[in-house]
Amino acid sequence: MDADLIALLPPARERRLARGEALFRAGDPALGLVVVRSGALELVRTSREGRRSVLHRAAPGDTFAEASLFEPRHHCDAVAAAPSVVAVHPAAELRRAASTDPALAWRVAAHLAARLVAERARAERLALPHAADRLLDALHALPAEEGGARRLGGTWKALASELGLTHEATYRALARLERAGLLRREGRGVVHLGVRARA
């Protein structure tokens, strides 16, 4: 979320979380719009069989729990993947502010639309049948730094979970992509991508 929009939002309540600490659990009353200030949070859903799925990993500057602006309760868990600080903009206060300021309402709507586009792209990525294709697509989606490097912002294991892969499958895919000359790893969580024709 851009700083200009954050400045227009009602005051936030700051929460500090230790690694592994939950901000909320499925079924808890909805908090509102959450902005990650530092660290990382994972939105997690656990199936009846105990399978844990990472629905979204939020890094600094990201928002999550947007649906809680309109829902009474959360539908998944939000757990800190690292020591984190988040800002919680209470749903009722944000709805009240948006109802009196149409410009704010439109800015929030535009942000939610952008998040929807990002989630659609993620769904398309998860539909790719091969681990290497999912991984390469996710890496291409990362912003390129000066010199072309792309930085994960987390661990390979966390990315694997977000892609619906085991970390073993992810490391095998990385090795295949390196052998094919499509990427080069540099340091921890930094890659340079080769040229590939994109559809």
Side-chain angles (χ1 to χ4, degrees):
M1 177 174 274
D2 67 81
D4 290 342
L5 177 52
I6 290 175
L8 297 174
L9 298 176
R13 297 167 189 166
E14 187 175 275
R15 285 281 306 274
R16 293 180 177 273
L17 302 165
R19 181 176 181 176
E21 185 178 354
L23 176 63
F24 56 75
R25 297 283 183 189
D28 286 352
L31 295 179
L33 183 68
V34 183
V35 182
V36 180
R37 288 184 174 164
S38 65
L41 273 87
E42 293 179 341
L43 292 183
V44 178
R45 185 168 289 152
T46 305
S47 70
R48 292 180 181 177
E49 298 75 33
R51 182 184 170 96
R52 183 179 184 272
S53 299
V54 177
L55 306 176
H56 178 62
R57 183 181 174 90
D62 290 345
T63 63
F64 65 93
E66 294 91 349
S68 71
L69 292 173
F70 310 100
E71 296 284 339
R73 296 190 176 276
H74 290 291
H75 299 287
C76 59
D77 302 338
V79 180
S84 303
V85 178
V86 300
V88 179
H89 298 272
E93 293 176 23
L94 184 48
R95 285 197 302 268
R96 204 160 33 243
S99 69
T100 60
D101 184 352
L104 172 60
W106 278 109
R107 290 285 299 276
V108 171
H111 173 73
L112 296 179
R115 288 281 296 115
L116 178 60
V117 169
E119 286 305 306
R120 281 184 180 162
R122 182 173 181 270
E124 290 172 3
R125 182 176 302 134
L126 291 177
L128 294 171
H130 302 296
D133 290 334
R134 289 189 203 178
L135 183 58
L136 200 55
D137 192 72
L139 294 174
H140 272 287
L142 295 173
E145 299 179 351
E146 189 175 345
R150 294 166 199 255
R151 193 174 303 273
L152 281 189
T155 65
W156 289 108
K157 189 173 181 179
L159 179 61
S161 182
E162 193 172 332
L163 294 175
L165 303 170
T166 64
H167 63 277
E168 293 88 355
T170 300
Y171 287 124
R172 286 195 298 271
L174 273 170
R176 282 197 297 275
L177 291 168
E178 281 189 294
R179 285 195 300 271
L182 293 173
L183 67 78
R184 175 172 53 86
R185 280 183 276 184
E186 179 184 289
R188 190 170 181 172
V190 178
V191 296
H192 288 265
L193 299 179
V195 177
R196 185 182 85 156
R198 308 275 293 168

